[in-house]
Amino acid sequence: MVTLNAARVLDATARILGVDHEELARLALSAPAGSDGLVLVPYLEGERTPNRPDATGAVHGLTLAGSTPAHLARAAVEGVLCGLADALDALVAAGVPVERAFLVGGGARSEALARIAPAVLGRPVLRPTPGEYVADGAARQAAWVLAGGDSPPVWEAADTETFEADPTPAVRERYAQVRDLTAPRPGS
């Protein structure tokens, strides 16, 4: 799955709140699952999955109870993860069996993203030690094409940390209610 809006959403949220990424994660983990109904739709630069290149982000469900930095931090993390979960659902609908997910890229450095991900995705999440996994994966696929065969070449696996949590389907349900309620980017 590919998203334009994972690490950059966390960057923007940290900037809005005036905190660093470690504090953003601490805030997100201190808020309740579902952020008391606050939802951040993370299409800050359009989106690839789903294909909405002209969409913008949106905040829905703002109430007095949810008007805290912790709630916004949690809503940002959950919004990113709900977008990834929608893409994961598309894979499953296409017949791809999904038993676990790997968290890689800039957003994977977020402790909140790693700890909340299994609850939103509904499956265990593995986070390899930091590395250039997108480039490594592309190189492995290229090597497989060049070598041919029924399976990819064997490469040394990175050490991983596994995260598990009880699913929070209410987070996905609330996100589904509002994910299409976005405005187009100016000039689109």
Side-chain angles (χ1 to χ4, degrees):
M1 301 172 297
V2 177
T3 181
L4 291 173
N5 294 294
R8 295 175 74 191
V9 169
L10 302 182
D11 291 343
T13 306
R15 189 171 54 252
I16 290 167
L17 295 175
V19 299
D20 63 17
H21 283 278
E22 188 175 311
E23 179 63 6
L24 181 71
R26 189 197 68 72
L27 286 167
L29 290 168
S30 74
S35 300
D36 289 321
L38 187 67
V39 177
L40 187 143
V41 179
Y43 306 154
L44 303 187
E45 290 290 325
E47 188 51 86
R48 287 187 201 162
T49 307
N51 187 22
R52 296 184 179 144
D54 297 324
T56 59
V59 176
H60 297 282
L62 190 60
T63 64
L64 291 175
S67 300
T68 71
H71 284 81
L72 182 59
R74 180 78 180 220
V77 169
E78 289 177 342
V80 165
L81 291 168
C82 284
L84 292 173
D86 285 349
L88 194 64
D89 288 348
L91 288 173
V92 171
V96 177
V98 179
E99 297 173 12
R100 64 188 186 277
F102 282 84
L103 193 58
V104 296
R109 291 181 178 88
S110 168
E111 196 64 22
L113 202 71
R115 295 200 177 282
I116 297 169
V120 174
L121 300 179
R123 50 193 41 88
V125 172
L126 286 72
R127 178 174 64 178
T129 55
E132 295 297 328
Y133 298 108
V134 174
D136 290 348
R140 186 173 185 210
Q141 288 177 353
W144 187 6
V145 169
L146 289 173
D150 293 332
S151 59
V154 177
W155 289 19
E156 186 177 325
D159 291 331
T160 60
E161 186 175 7
T162 301
F163 296 88
E164 297 187 62
D166 291 332
T168 54
V171 171
R172 298 276 318 277
E173 291 164 9
R174 178 75 172 140
Y175 181 82
Q177 291 173 343
V178 300
R179 69 178 163 227
D180 295 326
L181 304 175
T182 64
R185 288 193 316 197
S188 297

